[in-house]
Structures are given as structure tokens and as C-alpha cells.
């Protein structure tokens, strides 16, 4: 196993041993945790959250309480289609268009009630809520291993939907805070870590990754993700002019 995967396994195992995980479990996923509702409540204390009108959120269970609070506060929530498999690769949840905010905040409900959008149709985003397997207090994070959170971030950054100043926050259980996370240059960094017990302000670098690093993407991933094919075609056409 790589260093990153070893760390994931340690965190998942520790959450199981301490019995702080809950349905649908911890291993192999962004782990749901006891206290996720309290963490979502603490999230609302952040100025950046209160000021945000449009939020990009991950679809995982531990962030469902935060998605619900966002919708209840009138915020538009964007979620990526799993594995970015569709040309319309984002789902828009606009509370002005929804009648059942509780259902819309769930994973299944979001994709039943939300409006599919292509990347170009996504409005500029004010706040990013992401899920994590492990984090450090200085703002490094580790996802579940697919690389899609970083790719979604890169897509939105390249499309001008995010800026270097867009706040990025995660909610986790304290058990998920570790001393060190192996990181590479294209990993984005966190501004805040919110747990049921505290809010940690991170000192992230001034510069986040600026967009897609095409050299890091294999042909298999390029072939499987329609929006990458579109963007690569656009880049090739622009290069010919």
C-alpha cells in the first residue's frame, strides 16, 4: 500500500475501534461520523459560510447535515456527478426551486430533485465544502483515493468558477485529525477544519492549484470523463489559432 492508503486504513480502523463511525460505515469511503450534525452547526459560525450564496459540496453522508443547513439558509448548492461521468457533470440544488429540502440534501434525493448542469452553466462559487478521510491542522487533507475532489476543484478553477480566495472547509471527527498527510503539488489545501468540538483555522499557502494538470491524467481517465474530452478539444483548437 502507498503511504496515503496506509493512512486511510489507519483512520478507518481507528474510527471503527472507537465506535465513532456510523451508517453507511467508514472503510472505503468518506466516513460518516457521530457528531456530524454538531459540526454542521459549528460551520454556520464561519463568516465565510454566512456570506456565501453558492456552495460546492461533496455528496457524502457526513456532509448531508451541512448541505441541508445550506439549503435552509437559501444557499444554492452544487454537487458533482459521481466520477464526473456525465457531460452535465454538476447538479444544482436551488432552494427556490425545491419543495423538500431534507430529501434534496440526501445523496439519493439530490440526484432525483436537482438540475443537471454543464460546467459552463455553473455560477461562480463562494464556498467549497469537502469531505475528508484524514486532515492535518495546517490544512492538508486526504480523500478516499479516487482523486475526484482534486479534479473537481481543478475543473472549477480552470473554468473560472473558483478563485484563489474561495474558502475551502471540511467537517470531520477529531479522530480524523492526524500529524501528517502525504501531499503532492496538485492537492488543494483547507482554510478551516470543523469538528463537533472546535473550528481550526489553517494557514494554507496563498496559491492553490490553478487548474487541470493534463500530464497527470492518464488516457483511461480522460476517456471516461466527458468534460475532460471537451476541455482538451477546446485547448487543442485554441492552440491551432
Amino acid at each position: 500500500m502507498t503511504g496515503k492508503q496506509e493512512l486511510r486504513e489507519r483512520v478507518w480502523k481507528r474510527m471503527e475501534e472507537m465506535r465513532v463511525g456510523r451508517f453507511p460505515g467508514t472503510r472505503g469511503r468518506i466516513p460518516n461520523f457521530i457528531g456530524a450534525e454538531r459540526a454542521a452547526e459549528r460551520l454556520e459560525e464561519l463568516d465565510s459560510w454566512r456570506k456565501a450564496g453558492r456552495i460546492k459540496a461533496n455528496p457524502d453522508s457526513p456532509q448531508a447535515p451541512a448541505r441541508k443547513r445550506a439549503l435552509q439558509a437559501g444557499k444554492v448548492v452544487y454537487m458533482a456527478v459521481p466520477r464526473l461521468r456525465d457531460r452535465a457533470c454538476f447538479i444544482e440544488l436551488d432552494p427556490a426551486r425545491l419543495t423538500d429540502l431534507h430529501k434534496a440534501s440526501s445523496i439519493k434525493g439530490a440526484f432525483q430533485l436537482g438540475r443537471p448542469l454543464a460546467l459552463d452553466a455553473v455560477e461562480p462559487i463562494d464556498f467549497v465544502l469537502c469531505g475528508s478521510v484524514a486532515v492535518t491542522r495546517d490544512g492538508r487533507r486526504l480523500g478516499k483515493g479516487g482523486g475526484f475532489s482534486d479534479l473537481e476543484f481543478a475543473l472549477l478553477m480552470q473554468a473560472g468558477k473558483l478563485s484563489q480566495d474561495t474558502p475551502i472547509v471540511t467537517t470531520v471527527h477529531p479522530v480524523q485529525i492526524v500529524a501528517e498527510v502525504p501531499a503532492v503539488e496538485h492537492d488543494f489545501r483547507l482554510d478551516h477544519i470543523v469538528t463537533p468540538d472546535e473550528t481550526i483555522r489553517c494557514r494554507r499557502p496563498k496559491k492553490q492549484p490553478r487548474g487541470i494538470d493534463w500530464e497527470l491524467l492518464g488516457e483511461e481517465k480522460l476517456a471516461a470523463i466527458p468534460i475532460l474530452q471537451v476541455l482538451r478539444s477546446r485547448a487543442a483548437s485554441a492552440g491551432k489559432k
Side-chain angles (χ1 to χ4, degrees), residues 2-5 7-8 128 130-136 138-155 157 162-164 166 168 180-191 203-213 216-217 221:
T2 66
K4 286 187 174 183
Q5 189 59 27
L7 179 55
R8 291 184 188 101
V128 174
C130 64
S132 305
V133 174
V135 295
T136 63
D138 66 353
R140 298 182 186 272
R141 69 171 285 280
L142 183 65
K144 60 186 176 184
F148 284 95
S149 288
D150 291 301
L151 181 54
E152 291 160 18
F153 180 91
L155 284 170
M157 183 69 81
L162 299 176
S163 75
Q164 292 289 331
T166 305
I168 306 175
E180 187 175 352
V181 165
V184 295
E185 190 173 342
H186 68 268
D187 293 341
F188 63 80
R189 298 280 289 273
L190 302 166
D191 291 278
R203 293 184 178 181
R204 69 163 166 96
K206 292 183 180 179
K207 298 294 184 182
Q208 296 278 31
R210 291 187 175 275
I212 299 169
D213 189 336
L216 295 176
L217 294 172
K221 182 164 281 189

Side-chain angles (χ1 to χ4, degrees), residues 36-37 40-41 43-44 49 55 57-79 93-95 98-107 110 129:
E37 291 81 7
E41 184 180 342
L43 192 64
E44 293 186 316
W49 172 273
I55 290 174
N58 60 302
D60 302 282
S61 295
Q63 282 70 49
R67 295 194 299 270
K68 182 177 179 180
R69 286 179 175 269
L71 294 172
Q72 290 173 332
K75 304 179 191 297
V76 175
V77 176
Y78 292 104
M79 295 164 58
L93 299 170
D94 184 346
L98 299 168
T99 56
D100 190 339
L101 300 185
H102 176 74
K103 182 177 180 180
S105 68
S106 70
I107 299 170
L129 174 66

Side-chain angles (χ1 to χ4, degrees), residues 24-54:
T26 59
R27 195 170 298 275
R29 65 182 76 242
I30 300 296
N32 199 5
F33 60 90
I34 293 172
E37 291 81 7
R38 174 57 182 152
E41 184 180 342
R42 292 187 65 89
L43 192 64
E44 293 186 316
E45 298 171 5
L46 291 174
D47 286 341
S48 55
W49 172 273
R50 289 197 295 263
K51 293 175 182 176
R54 293 179 294 272

Side-chain angles (χ1 to χ4, degrees), residues 101-131:
L101 300 185
H102 176 74
K103 182 177 180 180
S105 68
S106 70
I107 299 170
K108 184 177 180 180
F111 293 97
Q112 289 178 339
L113 303 177
R115 183 167 68 122
L117 291 180
L119 176 62
D120 291 343
V122 174
E123 294 291 329
I125 291 167
D126 306 313
F127 188 102
V128 174
L129 174 66
C130 64

